[in-house]
Amino acid sequence: MSEEKNNTNERIEDLGAGITKTDKGTIYTLTIIGQIEGHQVAPESVKTTKYEHVIPLLATIEESDEIDGLLLLLNTVGGDIEAGLAISELIAGMKKPTVSLVLGGGHSIGIPLAVSAKKSMIAPTASMMIHPVRMSGLVVGAPATYHYFQRIQEQITDFVTQNSNITREKFSEYMMATGQIATDVGTIVYGKEAVESGLIDQIGCLHDALQTLHEMIRIHRNDEKG
């Protein structure tokens, strides 16, 4: 049994980030950086987070008896919508304590990822770009295509508003704003505004995120003891 646990931990560590063990609990730190890669492979020159690595990793973290909580560090430009939503749904469905911290940027599909944790934080200088669903490359100009875009956009809005304190009206207002982003529609919000709007729970740094996660782990342990 111990050999099986060691093999599991080795597989987790091989996939990146790290595990920190203290008397307060064992925390897995997962980084979401660069572009979130989905079904299409990004160029080698682009830093990516691959969904085929993250999805099984999250399942392993949730099932592992050795890990007490997940710290999610975000600095992403966004990327594949379906991959981002899939990862977000997995994190939101985890029973273990989860805390996210946006550093640098948590743009586009990075927003659902940021709010998927049970507690979300953002650095004062970090930013988040909220915009409508877009697609590059060849797009079939048919009514069904635009209907699909609208449905995906509604799914993103539903997820964000269900997992944060921002209202649907405010999020839609940010998404469809004009004149704030050059050559694009949408809004860029920084740390303080992201919290004031209800999108993110609080301003924070690494210490705040870890302190919150340790407290959540303590409460979770007490609940399990009954």
Side-chain angles (χ1 to χ4, degrees), residues 181-198:
I181 301 177
T183 71
D184 200 358
V185 176
T187 305
I188 298 177
V189 296
Y190 292 87
K192 186 178 179 181
E193 185 178 358
V195 173
E196 289 176 347
S197 69

Side-chain angles (χ1 to χ4, degrees), residues 44-121:
E44 291 184 6
S45 59
V46 177
K47 287 184 178 293
T48 62
T49 297
K50 300 179 185 296
Y51 85 112
E52 68 268 27
H53 291 172
V54 176
I55 286 177
L57 175 61
L58 290 171
T60 304
I61 292 170
E62 177 73 348
E63 281 294 292
S64 174
D65 293 330
E66 305 297 315
I67 299 172
D68 298 303
L70 172 67
L71 174 62
L72 189 67
L73 300 180
L74 288 152
N75 186 9
T76 176
V77 296
D80 187 276
I81 294 172
E82 290 183 352
L85 278 178
I87 297 170
S88 300
E89 290 284 8
L90 277 177
I91 296 171
M94 293 177 73
K95 185 178 180 182
K96 288 185 177 177
T98 55
V99 173
S100 66
L101 175 60
V102 179
L103 301 161
H107 306 304
S108 192
I109 201 63
I111 294 171
L113 285 163
V115 304
S116 65
K118 291 178 175 61
K119 187 76 173 181
S120 61
M121 298 186 185

Side-chain angles (χ1 to χ4, degrees), residues 5 9 12 18-29 57-72 91 94-99 118 209-210 212-225:
K5 284 184 177 179
N9 287 337
I12 290 173
I19 299 174
T20 307
K21 297 181 181 180
T22 67
D23 57 351
K24 297 177 183 178
T26 301
I27 293 173
Y28 187 90
T29 302
L57 175 61
L58 290 171
T60 304
I61 292 170
E62 177 73 348
E63 281 294 292
S64 174
D65 293 330
E66 305 297 315
I67 299 172
D68 298 303
L70 172 67
L71 174 62
L72 189 67
I91 296 171
M94 293 177 73
K95 185 178 180 182
K96 288 185 177 177
T98 55
V99 173
K118 291 178 175 61
L210 287 170
T212 298
L213 191 52
H214 286 145
E215 179 61 18
M216 291 170 68
I217 289 171
R218 185 188 67 79
I219 295 171
H220 184 71
R221 283 175 170 175
N222 291 337
D223 289 343
E224 285 190 329
K225 289 178 182 177

